[in-house]
Every structure is written in C-alpha cells, then in structure tokens.
C-alpha cells in the first residue's frame, strides 16, 4: 500500500487546529499537535486558535455540565501551544507601555496598516472581558483588543 504523508506535511494542519480550538475539541487539538500541526497558524482574517477559543468562550453554554472546564482547558492548551506559557501569565504580561504585535485584521488599527504598537490602557472590567487598548506604531490609531490577539514584541 502507498505510504501516507504525515499530517504535519499538510500545510492546512494548523488550520484544523484553529477549527478544533474554535469548537473546543481538545482531543482533536492534541492529535493534531502530536502529528506536528503548527498551532501558530492564523485564519485569513488574522485570528488564531487562542483568539477563536477565547471568543467562543463567551458563546459557550457555561451552565451545561463540563462545558466551563472544557473551554478553560482548550484556552489553556492553546496558550501553552502558541505562547509557551499559561493564558493567565500571558494576560498579566500585557501591561501599559508594553510593545506588542498582532495578526488580527479586523480592527481600526490593522485597517490603517498597523500590526505593531504599544499598550496604552488596560481594562479588565469591560463586557468583552480582559481587554487592552493598543496604539498603532505607524498610524497612531487606537483600538481595544483581546489579550488573545496580542503578542509581546
């Protein structure tokens, strides 16, 4: 029989990881990572597995048995795979004055051509959850973003 190429040879394996995170399928995420999927791959709009899991958490039926735990486990696994640290540690590292980058293309700063800037405000009380205001390095425009979308520069 013909030998099949390993999954990691598939350039779309990382996109499958994003999809698994978005649907909170921890088992598929683990299988994809074991096969060599790149957990840092992003969708065409710039959203990564971590940002999709964090966004999806707001829509997950948390009152259903085991859902809150699964969502938390998926977010944590994404953070570990993509950032090499816990999500809580990542959020804590994003302080005012920190230089950051992002891949998300759906915000006023990115639409102005900026994908790097500085955190200018932190608000952990907003309805959307923990958020950071970033100012683009080139445009000077400001937008609120989830820590899941930001990386220390």
């Amino acid at each position: 029989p013909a030998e099949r190429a390993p999954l990691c040879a598939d350039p779309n394996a990382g996109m499958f990881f994003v999809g698994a995170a978005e649907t909170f399928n921890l088992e598929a995420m683990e299988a994809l990572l074991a096969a060599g999927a790149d957990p840092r791959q992003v969708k065409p709009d710039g959203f990564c597995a971590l940002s999709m899991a964090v966004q999806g958490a707001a829509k997950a039926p948390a009152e259903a048995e085991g859902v809150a735990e699964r969502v938390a486990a998926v977010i944590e696994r994404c953070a570990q795979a993509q950032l090499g640290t816990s999500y809580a540690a990542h959020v804590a590292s994003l302080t005012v004055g920190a230089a950051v980058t992002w891949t998300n293309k759906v915000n006023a700063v990115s639409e102005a051509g900026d994908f790097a800037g500085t955190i200018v405000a932190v608000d952990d009380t907003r309805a959307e959850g923990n958020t950071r205001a970033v100012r683009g390095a080139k445009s000077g425009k400001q937008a609120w973003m989830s820590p899941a979308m930001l990386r220390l520069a």
Side-chain angles (χ1 to χ4, degrees):
E3 192 172 315
R4 290 181 55 185
L7 183 59
C8 61
D10 183 345
N12 295 314
M15 290 306 301
F16 297 137
F17 183 81
V18 173
E22 190 173 10
T23 59
F24 307 112
N25 189 336
L26 190 58
E27 295 78 11
M29 290 169 57
E30 293 296 351
L32 287 160
L33 288 171
D38 182 358
R40 297 165 299 172
Q41 192 165 355
V42 297
K43 294 171 46 173
D45 60 7
F47 288 95
C48 66
L50 180 59
S51 59
M52 295 308 299
V54 169
Q55 280 185 340
K59 302 174 200 157
E63 67 281 352
E65 185 177 337
V67 171
E69 294 82 5
R70 176 169 283 273
V71 168
V74 166
I75 290 171
E76 189 59 29
R77 187 63 182 113
C78 286
Q80 290 291 337
Q82 290 179 247
L83 307 171
T85 190
S86 72
Y87 188 60
H90 172 65
V91 171
S93 73
L94 299 172
T95 58
V96 172
V100 292
T101 63
W102 57 89
T103 56
N104 167 13
K105 297 176 184 172
V106 188
N107 63 63
V109 181
S110 299
E111 290 168 3
D114 269 332
F115 293 93
T118 305
I119 295 176
V120 294
V122 172
D123 187 347
D124 293 335
T125 64
R126 289 171 60 99
E128 305 85 36
N130 296 331
T131 58
R132 305 296 187 261
V134 297
R135 180 167 294 126
K138 289 188 255 179
S139 69
K141 291 190 176 216
Q142 184 173 311
W144 286 95
M145 291 189 209
S146 162
M149 297 177 196
L150 300 171
R151 305 293 179 263
L152 289 173

